[in-house]
Amino acid sequence: MKNASSRRRFVKNAAAGIGMLAMPSLLSAQGDPARLLKVVCVGGHPDDPESGCGGTLARFTAAGHDVTIVYLTRGEAGIPGKSHGESADIRTRESIEACKILHTKPIFAGQIDGDTIMNNEWVLKLQGILDEEKPDIVFTHWPVDSHKDHQIASLLTIQCWIRAKDKFDLYFFEVCTGEQTMIFKPTDYVDITETQEQKRKAVYCHLSQDPPGIYQCGHAAMEEFRGRELGVKAGEAFVRMTGMNKGNHFTY
């Protein structure tokens, strides 16, 4: 517990004021167990975490931090002409291969692609997963998104953040901004220049999802534009959840 408490103090102090612009501090923890972080990313489908923040997750694992990807669904409805079972098998294998490239651990939460549910039972299920992982930092979808499954993944994670006894920092990532993610105004940026190709390889594991199409829907432009905003070759952007938990009241 002492190490966990030290990690939480470290991440909060390092991120104060400039959030993930403190990445150099957060990523310089090799060899110091008290500063190694547990990071979790919650995505709606296979390929969402990889395309939304794969470069950032790769930076964390490269620095020795422990990263888990929670896929809310197995992408059951994501391959035209395939049954839900066939699609789930294919996309699960793709996710596992992508996680190998990013050096992350996959968890499949068990909801169904296209039919995700927001209720108390699923809040408790995701809360149970996060309680076991004990994250210092969690990434998830921005809640203002055109895809219902993305919204559900985000709202479930927000509820877990509100209810968490051991508080974690919560960041929202963007996917296909302008087509899916909307009114996204970043608070924090991460330089993914060194992990951009690793991210691309992870995205390209999802062959059933037309990886070139994923990049054509805006991800290549997003990486370049966010990099320009940060003053580097390639970047990823995030919105950080802020505000004090008081009952069910919170602010962005």
Side-chain angles (χ1 to χ4, degrees):
M1 290 298 295
K2 182 177 179 181
N3 281 351
S5 177
S6 298
R7 289 200 309 271
R8 294 184 195 286
R9 285 198 304 271
F10 169 67
V11 69
K12 289 183 182 299
N13 291 338
I18 56 173
M20 296 302 287
L21 288 177
M23 282 293 290
S25 295
L26 295 176
L27 294 172
S28 63
Q30 293 98 322
D32 184 352
R35 296 175 67 187
L36 289 176
L37 306 175
K38 179 67 193 209
V39 179
V40 173
C41 180
V42 180
H45 316 97
D47 81 53
D48 287 331
E50 295 88 333
S51 60
C53 60
T56 298
L57 299 182
R59 287 207 59 187
F60 273 107
T61 59
H65 303 296
D66 188 5
V67 181
T68 295
I69 293 178
V70 178
Y71 299 99
L72 189 61
T73 76
R74 293 179 184 262
E76 291 85 350
I79 306 178
K82 298 287 187 183
S83 70
H84 274 203
E86 291 171 327
S87 295
D89 288 344
I90 292 169
R91 299 194 69 186
T92 297
R93 290 195 298 269
E94 292 173 343
S95 300
I96 291 170
E97 291 305 310
C99 284
K100 288 178 182 177
I101 288 174
L102 296 177
H103 306 294
T104 59
K105 179 181 75 174
I107 292 177
F108 299 92
Q111 289 221 36
I112 303 300
D113 181 10
D115 194 26
T116 53
I117 300 169
M118 174 69 188
N119 61 17
N120 290 337
E121 178 184 358
W122 273 102
V123 171
L124 291 175
K125 284 185 178 181
L126 182 58
Q127 191 173 4
I129 291 172
L130 294 180
D131 284 347
E132 285 197 10
E133 294 298 312
K134 296 179 174 59
D136 300 293
I137 299 172
V138 174
F139 297 97
T140 193
H141 291 274
W142 176 239
V144 186
D145 193 288
S146 62
H147 201 302
K148 171 180 172 285
D149 294 343
H150 297 179
Q151 293 178 6
I152 296 299
S154 182
L155 294 176
L156 288 171
T157 307
I158 291 170
Q159 280 298 312
C160 291
W161 179 82
I162 292 171
R163 298 163 185 242
K165 293 180 181 179
D166 294 324
K167 298 305 178 187
F168 52 81
D169 286 343
L170 179 58
Y171 291 88
F172 302 102
F173 60 78
E174 56 183 336
V175 291
C176 291
T177 293
E179 294 184 25
Q180 294 185 353
T181 299
M182 296 174 281
I183 59 172
F184 189 84
K185 298 180 180 179
T187 59
D188 302 272
Y189 297 80
V190 174
D191 178 0
I192 66 162
T193 302
E194 294 182 0
T195 56
Q196 186 180 25
E197 184 57 29
Q198 187 178 356
K199 171 185 177 177
R200 180 177 288 270
K201 288 179 179 178
V203 172
Y204 267 75
C205 286
H206 297 277
L207 293 174
S208 69
Q209 300 306 295
D210 180 25
I214 292 175
Y215 276 95
Q216 288 171 8
C217 88
H219 283 278
M222 287 159 54
E223 291 174 13
E224 180 182 3
F225 181 68
R226 297 311 186 193
R228 287 185 179 221
E229 289 184 304
L230 186 56
V232 298
K233 177 178 178 287
E236 289 174 339
F238 303 90
V239 174
R240 183 172 185 260
M241 189 75 145
T242 61
M244 297 296 292
N245 291 335
K246 294 181 179 179
N248 290 327
H249 302 285
F250 61 94
T251 61
Y252 286 119

